[in-house]
């Protein structure tokens, strides 16, 4: 019989729910890899990155304010200083009262530094330099009806929204126009490159109409520490000028239609001795596609975060990758990477987020990775030749999200899995699992997201799911319900997202669905 898929939404959301455990940073989610990986974890990781802040000091110099782990000769810094992200860290990530106090002091310090950024030591105001204001106004005029009301001729550009100046020189050092729905008329204005004192530049979340990045100009921004051009609808070759930014700590070119051929991936990072975070999701790596791991090991030994979602990289991960001891985020989702998951991943003591789904990994997944002290997010789903054996989880394990769908998961699951108080999201294929193991999931009372799939044959007994009072997202797929939407779902009163797919449902939509007042999006499939 043909199937018919019905979708219903309630409230302000207009598309099916994205099940997330950490909010994304306001960017569109346009592919499976982006929906399931970036949305679920990168908001949290980038908030964590914000714990290392670079502010402008009262003397106009750069002050490094470390709140992070130590390397051999000092602290690893990151240049993002969004105060809102600091607040997110305070509310979501901190477990130590002392660390929370430090972050709150950082938020105060940076807001104070921003406020005095254009003030002289004697209390007088240092005006923005005329050439800086002129360049910014030309940039404004390159957008169609820009919502930049404070950007007016004759006013001090150091007080314009999104602009921070060096208090001693009046030069612009930060330009943050992220997520302002700006629409470019004819591409990125070259006047931007007149702001040669920029340290932080973000144009993320605006629309540049699939125009190319300028071939020349970026090399003039030699003081840049952070460059974020994510989700801006740029296209074409990434220019060589970006490779000349030797001081760059954070580079985000993700969610565009860009590619790397000449310069190649290796050439792009070869001159960057300092990068701590590289986000290149959807950038097509057309050269060095099989040697990407060697290039990273050779060029960026202090790297903390690497994200290469759907970049077309392939081949096994080279053993030289083991030199990247400071990695906290590894996201290689949706590529063609083969071979075994390296056992040396278990030696990355800072590792918090590991996303390997949608590749061609095979062999045994290294069990010791599960026991990394800082690991909070693990996704190895959709690697059908990868065998997974769960270990005994020690008390105090902080794993918060686990996705093992479409792997060869051993049914010898330790009872300790079902006592992980930290686990917020669990995604499993239950085919072949004994009933008592499936019902044991009910012990995970902290679960907020549950995604279960079967073989399409078994008639599941899943009424125990209603006992998970913190559950906000539920996905059930490939089961044989042979009837209406299960009645017990009415008791899942905190659901905001519900998906029931390919599960032999029939009948009318039950009226009690309307009683799930928090439900903002739901998808289900019925049989005609």
């Amino acid at each position: 019989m043909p199937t018919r898929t019905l979708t219903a939404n309630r409230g302000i959301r207009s598309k099916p729910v994205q099940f997330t455990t950490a909010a994304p940073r306001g960017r569109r989610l346009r592919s499976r890899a982006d929906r399931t990986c970036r949305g679920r974890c990168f908001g949290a990781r980038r908030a964590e990155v914000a714990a290392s802040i670079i502010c402008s000091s009262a003397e106009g110099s750069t002050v490094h304010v470390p709140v992070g782990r130590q390397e051999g000769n000092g602290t690893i810094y990151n240049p993002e200083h969004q105060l809102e992200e600091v607040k997110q860290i305070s509310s979501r990530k901190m477990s130590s009262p002392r660390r929370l106090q430090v972050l709150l002091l950082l938020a105060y310090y940076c807001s104070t530094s921003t406020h005095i950024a254009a003030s002289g030591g004697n209390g007088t105001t240092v005006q923005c330099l005329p050439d800086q204001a002129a360049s910014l106004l030309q940039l404004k005029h390159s957008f169609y009806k820009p919502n930049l009301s404070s950007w007016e001729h004759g006013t001090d550009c150091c007080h314009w929204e999104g602009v921070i100046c060096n208090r001693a020189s009046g030069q612009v050092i930060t330009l943050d126009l992220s997520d302002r729905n700006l629409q470019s008329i004819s591409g990125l204005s070259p006047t931007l490159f007149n702001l040669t004192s920029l340290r932080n530049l973000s144009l993320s979340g605006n629309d540049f109409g699939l125009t190319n990045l300028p071939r020349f100009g970026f090399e003039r921004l030699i003081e840049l520490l952070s460059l974020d051009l994510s989700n801006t609808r740029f296209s074409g070759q990434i220019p060589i000028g970006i490779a000349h930014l030797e001081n760059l700590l954070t580079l985000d070119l993700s969610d565009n239609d860009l590619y790397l051929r000449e310069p190649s991936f290796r050439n792009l990072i070869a001159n960057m001795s300092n990068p701590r975070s590289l986000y290149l999701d959807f950038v097509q790596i057309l050269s060095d596609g099989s040697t990407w791991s060697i290039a990273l090991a050779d060029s960026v030994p202090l790297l903390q975060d690497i994200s290469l979602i759907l970049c077309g990289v392939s081949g096994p991960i080279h053993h030289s990758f083991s030199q990247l001891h400071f990695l906290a985020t590894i996201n290689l989702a949706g590529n063609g990477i083969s071979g075994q998951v390296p056992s040396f991943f278990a030696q990355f003591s800072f590792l918090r987020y590991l996303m390997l789904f949608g590749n061609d990994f095979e062999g045994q997944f290294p069990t010791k990775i599960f026991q990394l002290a800082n690991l909070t997010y693990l996704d190895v789903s959709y690697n059908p030749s990868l065998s997974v054996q769960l270990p005994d989880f020690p008390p105090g394990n902080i794993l918060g999200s686990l996705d093992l769908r479409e792997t060869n998961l051993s049914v010898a699951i330790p009872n300790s899995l079902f006592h992980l108080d930290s686990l917020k999201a669990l995604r499993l294929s239950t085919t072949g699992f004994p009933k008592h193991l499936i019902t044991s999931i009910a012990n995970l009372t902290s679960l907020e997201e549950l995604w279960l799939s079967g073989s399409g044959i078994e008639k599941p007994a899943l009424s125990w799911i209603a006992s998970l009072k913190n559950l906000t997202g539920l996905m059930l797929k490939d089961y044989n319900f042979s009837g209406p939407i299960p009645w017990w779902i009415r008791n899942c009163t905190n659901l905001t997202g519900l998906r029931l797919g390919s599960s032999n449902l029939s009948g009318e939509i039950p009226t009690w669905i309307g009683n799930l007042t928090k439900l903002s999006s739901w998808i289900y499939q019925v049989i005609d």
Side-chain angles (χ1 to χ4, degrees):
M1 286 184 208
T3 62
R4 183 174 76 251
T5 300
L6 292 85
T7 304
N9 298 282
R10 181 188 290 115
I12 62 173
R13 300 184 66 164
S14 60
K15 61 182 180 180
V17 68
Q18 315 295 341
F19 293 157
T20 64
T21 57
R25 232 182 44 175
R27 56 185 74 221
R28 60 182 174 157
L29 305 177
R30 64 180 188 178
S31 74
R32 178 183 177 276
D34 207 11
R35 288 195 303 269
T36 58
C37 203
R38 177 179 294 280
R40 287 201 303 238
C41 62
F42 268 7
R45 173 56 189 155
R46 289 181 179 179
E48 180 76 2
V49 166
S52 295
I53 299 176
I54 293 179
C55 295
S56 177
S57 73
E59 288 73 27
S61 60
T62 300
V63 174
H64 295 269
V65 187
V67 185
R69 58 188 178 272
Q70 300 286 323
E71 56 181 337
N73 59 353
T75 300
I76 299 176
Y77 302 110
N78 283 288
E80 300 186 19
H81 58 264
Q82 303 296 330
L83 295 181
E84 182 58 36
E85 292 187 328
V86 175
K87 295 176 185 176
Q88 291 176 13
I89 302 170
S90 302
S91 61
R92 261 206 325 261
K93 307 295 289 184
M94 296 301 103
S95 58
S96 163
R98 172 174 168 76
R99 190 169 171 85
L100 177 57
Q101 286 179 340
V102 170
L103 287 168
L104 293 176
L105 287 172
L106 279 173
Y108 172 78
Y109 175 84
C110 287
S111 61
T112 304
S113 296
T114 300
H115 178 73
I116 66 173
S119 298
N122 58 2
T124 60
T125 299
V126 178
Q127 293 286 324
C128 167
L129 296 179
D131 67 300
Q132 304 278 285
S135 295
L136 287 171
L137 287 174
Q138 291 181 61
L139 177 64
K140 174 184 177 180
H141 295 149
S142 71
F143 297 108
Y144 177 73
K145 294 183 178 180
N147 182 23
L148 296 170
S149 58
S150 63
W151 289 36
E152 293 295 337
H153 180 74
T155 62
D156 184 1
C157 80
C158 294
H159 297 288
W160 293 354
E161 52 195 303
V163 177
I164 297 176
C165 294
N166 181 304
R167 63 175 290 277
S169 67
Q171 293 174 313
V172 176
I173 59 173
T174 290
L175 180 60
D176 182 2
L177 297 180
S178 57
D179 299 316
R180 293 180 181 270
N181 295 316
L182 299 172
Q183 289 185 300
S184 173
I185 296 173
S186 58
L188 183 60
S189 172
T191 59
L192 174 69
F193 304 122
N194 294 332
L195 305 175
T196 56
S197 295
L198 275 177
R199 299 174 187 171
N200 305 287
L201 172 61
S202 176
L203 301 176
S204 174
N206 297 300
D207 187 354
F208 286 85
L210 294 178
T211 57
N212 290 348
L213 286 167
R215 291 183 61 191
F216 305 104
F218 282 103
E219 65 277 2
R220 298 177 59 192
L221 305 179
I222 59 174
E223 295 189 31
L224 264 187
L225 302 172
S226 173
L227 176 60
D228 187 354
L229 301 179
S230 61
N231 191 20
T232 45
R233 294 192 71 217
F234 280 118
S235 66
Q237 169 71 46
I238 294 174
I240 188 64
I242 292 179
H244 293 156
L245 302 176
E246 297 182 1
N247 294 317
L248 207 59
L249 298 179
T250 298
L251 175 63
D252 192 343
L253 301 176
S254 56
D255 303 350
N256 289 296
D257 292 290
L258 298 168
Y259 63 85
L260 279 166
R261 179 181 286 121
E262 186 57 46
S264 65
F265 178 70
R266 177 177 289 275
N267 290 339
L268 177 69
I269 64 175
N271 293 330
M272 299 182 189
S273 58
N274 290 316
R276 305 300 192 263
S277 300
L278 290 175
Y279 305 108
L280 300 178
D281 304 336
F282 306 105
V283 173
Q284 294 304 297
I285 298 178
L286 303 179
S287 56
D288 303 322
S290 61
T291 60
W292 59 274
S293 58
I294 300 175
L296 287 170
D298 289 346
S299 301
V300 286
L302 300 181
L303 193 65
Q304 296 178 30
D305 305 294
I306 179 65
S307 185
L308 300 175
I309 300 175
L310 287 170
C311 288
V313 296
S314 60
I317 298 176
H318 194 264
H319 64 83
S320 62
F321 199 79
S322 63
Q323 300 171 27
L324 303 178
H325 303 293
F326 300 108
L327 279 172
T329 298
I330 302 175
N331 190 341
L332 304 174
N335 289 290
I337 303 172
S338 57
Q340 294 189 332
V341 176
S343 59
F344 59 73
F345 278 6
Q347 300 171 17
F348 291 166
S349 59
F350 297 122
L351 192 62
R352 302 194 63 173
Y353 303 96
L354 179 60
M355 285 72 68
L356 303 177
F357 80 77
N359 281 284
D360 297 316
F361 287 109
E362 59 187 8
Q364 185 69 41
F365 182 80
T367 302
K368 289 184 178 180
I369 292 177
F370 289 104
Q371 298 171 328
L372 283 169
N374 291 310
L375 190 68
T376 61
Y377 189 102
L378 177 62
D379 186 348
V380 296
S381 60
Y382 296 95
N383 284 283
S385 297
L386 184 65
S387 298
V388 179
Q389 172 68 63
L390 294 177
D392 273 321
F393 292 92
N397 187 285
I398 64 171
L399 189 64
S401 181
L402 179 62
D403 193 339
L404 302 175
R405 291 170 295 163
E406 302 299 327
T407 63
N408 289 323
L409 175 63
S410 170
V411 297
I413 294 180
N415 190 53
S416 58
L417 172 69
F418 307 113
H419 297 281
L420 286 177
D421 294 335
S422 58
L423 200 62
K424 304 294 184 183
L426 178 64
R427 306 168 195 91
L428 294 175
S429 302
T430 61
T431 303
F433 276 38
K435 181 179 178 181
H436 76 275
L437 278 180
I438 299 176
T439 57
S440 293
I441 297 174
N443 294 322
L444 294 169
T445 56
S446 296
L447 274 185
E448 297 174 2
E449 176 188 337
L450 180 61
W451 185 305
L452 299 177
S453 61
S455 65
I457 300 175
E458 63 262 45
K459 296 180 182 295
L462 301 175
S463 59
W464 53 266
I465 293 177
S467 67
L468 298 172
K469 299 305 181 183
N470 293 311
L471 202 65
T472 58
L474 175 62
M475 164 68 178
L476 302 175
K477 182 176 179 289
D478 294 330
Y479 288 108
N480 184 14
F481 286 109
S482 298
I485 294 176
W487 61 269
W488 50 264
I489 292 179
R490 74 175 73 183
N491 296 322
C492 299
T493 55
N494 286 317
L495 283 183
T496 59
L498 171 65
R499 296 184 64 184
L500 303 171
S502 303
S503 293
N504 197 15
L505 294 168
S506 62
E508 300 294 325
I509 301 173
T511 57
W512 51 258
I513 278 285
N515 296 329
L516 300 178
T517 56
K518 297 180 181 180
L519 197 63
S520 58
S521 180
W522 44 285
I523 303 174
Y524 63 98
Q525 189 175 75
V526 299
I527 302 296
D528 285 328

